[in-house]
Amino acid sequence: MKRQTKTYFRTLYISLVIIMCLCFGWIGISTAYESTVQIATGEYKDALEITDNTIRILDFIIKK
């Protein structure tokens, strides 16, 4: 039982590290994108925008 618990916590730790890296990576990318667009064009755009008919992630548009 002790070996299973040790394996569980090790797996949990690795998973949390990976999830945190992905989250902080997305936060960094979106902050850099918003700042770059604001400096380049003078207008403010969100990195992730969801409207009724479209989803815009950075500059990629997905139409429903």
Side-chain angles (χ1 to χ4, degrees):
M1 184 70 174
K2 185 173 181 171
R3 181 162 172 84
Q4 290 177 343
T5 305
K6 185 177 178 181
T7 304
Y8 170 76
F9 282 120
R10 188 178 345 163
T11 305
L12 179 67
Y13 174 72
I14 292 171
S15 299
L16 288 176
V17 168
I18 291 172
I19 290 170
M20 284 177 38
C21 286
L22 291 173
C23 289
F24 286 125
W26 172 254
I27 291 169
I29 288 170
S30 62
T31 303
Y33 171 79
E34 291 171 357
S35 297
T36 303
V37 169
Q38 188 173 9
I39 290 171
T41 62
E43 62 185 39
Y44 180 78
K45 282 187 180 180
D46 287 330
L48 177 65
E49 183 178 317
I50 300 173
T51 60
D52 293 335
N53 296 329
T54 59
I55 299 171
R56 190 176 58 78
I57 303 170
L58 301 178
D59 278 335
F60 302 102
I61 297 174
I62 302 169
K63 295 188 179 191
K64 292 182 182 180

